Amino acid sequence: MQQLHTPHVVVVMGVAGTGKTTIGPLLAARLGVPYAEGDDFHPPANIAKMTAGTPLTDEDRWPWLDAIGGWAHGRAGLGGVVSSSALKRSYRDRLRAAAPGVVFVHLTGSRELIEDRMSHRQGHFMPTALLDSQFATLQPLEPDEAGVAVDVAGTPEEITERAVAALRDLPEPVR
């Protein structure tokens, strides 16, 4: 498998259960850049709320997004992959304010497929009960946003290859 090097900082986004934590590291390996797990940027209070089945508010998310944006800013020109649900345009705008060259890989799939995958994963704090709130909050990428949508049907390797192919078509990042 040929490794593709890129100076892009890629945010792997989507609702819970789309495979951000699985695809993110695979994509980073294919791109030859470091990976950062977006969940690791959450403060403990956010993890506690989600574990209890309580959706986060925008106020809960701002410090988390700022931390991810800071990481992405530090990787500008070097490349990197980080996961973040980035469900709303305002969240992506906040990430772009910190790191203007970021691009998004939006992992998409049917609610049924995602719920099935969520029901089989173990050791994750996000309960399936929050999936409806995730879909209700989701604002897909708009035409003026740098990024691509990638279907999550298939194996992690197939999904990663689709993401790599889609990223190849994006223009070089703004510096």
Side-chain angles (χ1 to χ4, degrees), residues 79-98:
V81 175
V82 62
S83 59
S84 169
S85 53
L87 297 177
K88 288 185 181 179
R89 170 72 187 242
S90 61
Y91 303 164
R92 297 188 298 273
D93 288 346
R94 192 156 183 133
L95 291 172
R96 275 190 294 271

Side-chain angles (χ1 to χ4, degrees), residues 59-71:
E59 291 72 32
D60 294 327
R61 285 187 178 93
W62 298 139
W64 172 65
L65 290 165
D66 291 342
I68 291 171
W71 184 90

Side-chain angles (χ1 to χ4, degrees), residues 41-165:
F41 293 90
H42 273 298
N46 284 8
I47 301 287
K49 278 183 97 168
M50 290 183 285
T51 300
T54 305
L56 298 180
T57 66
D58 286 353
E59 291 72 32
D60 294 327
R61 285 187 178 93
W62 298 139
W64 172 65
L65 290 165
D66 291 342
I68 291 171
W71 184 90
H73 177 79
R75 296 299 309 163
L78 303 170
V81 175
V82 62
S83 59
S84 169
S85 53
L87 297 177
K88 288 185 181 179
R89 170 72 187 242
S90 61
Y91 303 164
R92 297 188 298 273
D93 288 346
R94 192 156 183 133
L95 291 172
R96 275 190 294 271
V102 298
V103 298
F104 295 88
V105 170
H106 180 188
L107 300 178
T108 64
S110 73
R111 189 196 182 292
E112 296 74 26
L113 173 65
I114 294 167
E115 182 176 30
D116 180 63
R117 288 184 179 174
M118 281 183 80
S119 69
H120 290 95
R121 67 183 185 180
Q122 297 177 5
H124 195 277
F125 58 81
M126 179 68 85
T128 355
L130 289 182
L131 190 56
D132 286 334
S133 74
Q134 293 260 303
F135 272 104
T137 302
L138 176 64
Q139 296 171 344
L141 289 173
E142 295 179 23
D144 66 329
E145 294 185 90
V148 296
V150 176
D151 185 8
V152 296
T155 67
E157 294 75 20
E158 291 167 339
I159 299 162
T160 301
E161 286 309 308
R162 283 196 294 273
V164 168

